[in-house]
Amino acid sequence: MTLLAFFCGHAGTGKTTVAKRLIGPLMRARGTPLCLLDKDTLYGGYSAAAIAMLSGDPNDRDSPLFLQHLRDPEYRGLIDTARENLELGIGALVVGPLSREVRERRLFDRAWLGVGADVKLRVVWVHTSDETARQRIVARANPADAYKLAHWDEYRQRRFVPSGAARDDLLMFDNTAPEAADYDALLARLAA
């Protein structure tokens, strides 16, 4: 059974860091190959060029223009790439905010994902405090985060931690100051 694991959460929570830390141990634990598909790596340069053509700002990733015209195609391409790997017998760790998809429970919808019952689905919600996330965003100095930082109070209102039914089956990971035991526990749940 191939694994499709999503590492979701808001900017600055450390989604990519967690996925990178776990991919090697997870491959050893499962005895199967995995690929890492990070939305920013796959689409960062392309989206920067596209949004620059539309708005004049290559770092515009939070405007209504970007959200209405580029966000969903990025995610669809990310999921399609994961599915192609799954069809080859290669599991995938998919990294991206995917907040709307988590709220709408789409990442558990096999028909929406285009995967069969032979694929094991796991969804990790990586979270941290607003202040920790802001510090990490400042430290990484990515120009694509400029809007978030310039409009932090507005952006903060969009941040959430899933609750109620949206939280069902999510693997919650507090990445504020995790210890080795926290990573081991998440690894065990992903490998099970």
Side-chain angles (χ1 to χ4, degrees), residues 118-188:
D118 60 327
V119 173
K120 178 179 176 179
L121 293 176
R122 293 289 185 259
V123 181
V124 179
W125 183 264
V126 183
H127 60 97
T128 189
S129 70
D130 287 353
E131 186 51 38
T132 298
R134 189 176 193 288
Q135 290 170 2
R136 290 176 181 170
I137 291 169
V138 168
R140 71 185 180 193
N142 184 334
D145 292 324
Y147 183 93
K148 289 176 185 71
L149 292 173
H151 302 91
W152 185 254
D153 288 334
E154 173 192 329
Y155 172 68
R156 252 186 55 223
Q157 300 305 312
R158 294 190 345 226
R159 294 174 55 90
F160 68 95
V161 175
S163 61
R167 192 173 177 137
D168 291 349
D169 300 319
L170 289 179
L171 304 178
M172 303 298 290
F173 189 77
D174 184 345
N175 199 27
T176 303
E179 297 183 3
D182 299 314
Y183 287 106
D184 291 344
L186 180 58
L187 176 63

Side-chain angles (χ1 to χ4, degrees), residues 5-90:
F6 293 95
F7 287 77
C8 310
H10 300 293
T13 57
K15 301 175 294 294
T16 303
T17 301
V18 173
K20 284 182 176 180
R21 179 170 177 152
L22 293 178
I23 193 167
L26 191 53
M27 282 192 287
R28 288 188 292 279
R30 291 182 49 83
T32 58
L34 295 167
C35 65
L36 178 71
L37 302 173
D38 186 310
K39 183 184 84 70
D40 291 339
T41 303
L42 285 172
Y43 293 104
Y46 174 81
S47 291
I51 199 67
M53 293 286 296
L54 295 171
S55 74
D57 180 0
N59 300 310
D60 175 10
R61 303 288 164 77
D62 289 284
S63 73
L65 183 66
F66 178 85
L67 296 174
Q68 290 170 9
H69 299 286
L70 293 176
R71 179 202 183 274
D72 290 347
E74 278 187 355
Y75 286 140
R76 186 78 268 162
L78 188 63
I79 290 166
D80 290 347
T81 303
R83 191 176 52 256
E84 285 188 347
N85 279 276
L86 294 168
E87 290 167 358
L88 296 171
I90 301 167

